Amino acid sequence: MLSNEPGHFYIRAAIPCGAANPLLKFFPTFETMFTKAIVRKPGKSVVDGITTAGLGAVDYDKLRSQHSKYIEALKACGLELIILDEMEDYPDSVFMEDVALLTSKCAIITRPGAKSRLGEELGLRKVLQNYYQNIERIENPGTLEAGDMMMVGDHFYIGLSERTNQTGADQLITILEKYGFSGSVVHLEDILHLKTGISYIENNTVVIAQPYKTEEAFSSYKKLWVDDDESYAANCVWINGHVLLPDGNPKIKASIINEGYRVIELEMSEFQKLDGGLSCLSLRF
Ligand code: CIR
């Protein structure tokens, strides 16, 4: 099936697709192709972003350089970049992923659960209108940050966290079903967002950290386990056969390469100080 709706399109491979398929290493068959990404430039206020990391002060110049390299990596994966201006009033606005969920049929503007982030989503409709006919939104009292959403084909896992509440999740599921998608919730504890600890890298495979050891929701996936000393790398990003990975995580890097993916390592120290991972920095569609 090939569909060219606004946003990403899907190519369903005629041959069985999966990491278990030894052909994958030689003939990668992509289920999702992304063509674009939206990022937001980090403002100077980013150094005051929300954090629990305790990793010290953010070096703004270094962060900007890391952000530029991130953009180059997205381009190297074949994406066209849409780069939005800084929002100095919103220190965490560089973490673009949280304010919208982009699907192949609609865009959903979220309603951040962190008080200091509420408002980051305003103005986004104007940008998304260039790419989507169907734009939905999460309404008060729903809260939802898209770092809590993990897309697996037509299904969306929704983490219930301190940022995403049941009302937000219910609203999202109603919207998803309207477009022929489905959604299910995963209860989170001691983790910021769902994707802080798990990333779907296509081919029925997840990169997954220990907090999800007993999580039934992911039982059917092939799992590449991330050890505790590399837990930050559980947030990685699949783009068109590549996997973006934070540098300094040799064990999970080797596992991902062994599955036939091309790994691009990126220095992320300044974003890690702000509890932000690789997926948080862009909306891919
Ligand atoms: C926050 O706490 O909201 C930001 N400092 C980090 C957001 C990370 N976003 C994500 O995991 N999707």
Side-chain angles (χ1 to χ4, degrees):
M1 181 188 84
L2 176 63
S3 87
N4 259 331
E5 305 276 349
H8 48 198
F9 56 88
Y10 297 100
I11 299 173
R12 297 276 184 226
I15 59 170
C17 189
N21 177 359
L23 285 177
L24 177 68
K25 286 183 184 170
F26 308 104
F27 304 105
T29 50
F30 307 138
E31 292 220 10
T32 307
M33 282 292 284
F34 294 114
T35 58
K36 298 182 183 64
I38 305 177
V39 298
R40 187 178 292 286
K41 292 179 196 164
K44 288 198 176 75
S45 63
V46 70
V47 300
D48 298 319
I50 308 169
T51 182
T52 57
L55 293 172
V58 173
D59 179 330
Y60 177 61
D61 290 336
K62 200 169 172 188
L63 180 141
R64 275 211 319 186
S65 153
Q66 292 177 354
H67 195 254
S68 300
K69 287 180 185 147
Y70 180 81
I71 288 174
E72 289 314 309
L74 295 180
K75 288 182 183 166
C77 295
L79 302 188
E80 177 194 326
L81 265 288
I82 299 138
I83 303 176
L84 306 183
D85 288 340
E86 304 87 337
M87 290 176 97
E88 288 292 359
D89 289 346
Y90 293 95
D92 285 297
S93 53
V94 71
F95 299 113
M96 190 71 219
E97 172 179 67
D98 292 320
V99 291
L101 180 66
L102 303 186
T103 79
S104 57
K105 295 179 187 155
C106 63
I108 300 140
I109 298 172
T110 70
R111 190 168 174 277
K115 283 210 168 57
S116 65
R117 301 197 61 180
L118 197 54
E120 273 179 34
E121 75 284 9
L122 304 174
L124 206 51
R125 179 176 290 270
K126 211 169 153 202
V127 176
L128 295 175
Q129 272 168 351
N130 295 319
Y131 308 98
Y132 282 94
Q133 280 183 334
N134 301 315
I135 302 178
E136 307 279 350
R137 61 167 304 154
I138 301 298
E139 308 280 355
N140 191 24
T143 66
L144 193 131
E145 294 186 2
D148 277 321
M149 312 302 127
M150 185 171 80
M151 180 180 81
V152 178
D154 288 347
H155 187 76
F156 291 78
Y157 292 95
I158 305 167
L160 290 182
S161 67
E162 287 184 9
R163 305 291 181 86
T164 296
N165 64 19
Q166 184 71 55
T167 311
D170 290 342
Q171 289 180 23
L172 180 65
I173 290 171
T174 303
I175 294 168
L176 290 171
E177 288 177 351
K178 177 171 150 190
Y179 292 94
F181 300 123
S182 56
S184 59
V185 299
V186 180
H187 293 262
L188 305 185
E189 273 172 37
D190 302 328
I191 197 156
L192 174 59
H193 286 127
L194 176 70
K195 286 199 304 259
T196 307
I198 186 168
S199 305
Y200 184 63
I201 58 169
E202 304 289 315
N203 307 303
N204 201 46
T205 304
V206 289
V207 173
I208 183 166
Q210 302 301 323
Y212 296 126
K213 211 172 190 164
T214 56
E215 179 52 66
E216 277 298 305
F218 310 123
S219 57
S220 65
Y221 295 101
K222 173 162 188 176
K223 297 178 190 66
L224 306 183
W225 285 105
V226 181
D227 287 347
D228 286 344
D229 60 341
E230 296 190 354
S231 62
Y232 179 65
N235 182 271
C236 55
V237 185
W238 181 94
I239 305 173
N240 306 344
H242 300 78
V243 175
L244 307 189
L245 192 73
D247 67 354
N249 298 285
K251 291 179 281 182
I252 191 64
K253 177 185 172 188
S255 307
I256 296 170
I257 289 175
N258 192 44
E259 293 298 315
Y261 299 91
R262 280 159 285 176
V263 168
I264 300 178
E265 288 179 282
L266 288 165
E267 197 189 334
M268 286 289 289
S269 61
E270 304 316 294
F271 296 104
Q272 187 174 7
K273 288 175 184 173
L274 292 162
D275 294 339
L278 281 162
S279 74
C280 323
L281 293 176
S282 61
L283 286 165
R284 304 152 299 277
F285 63 111

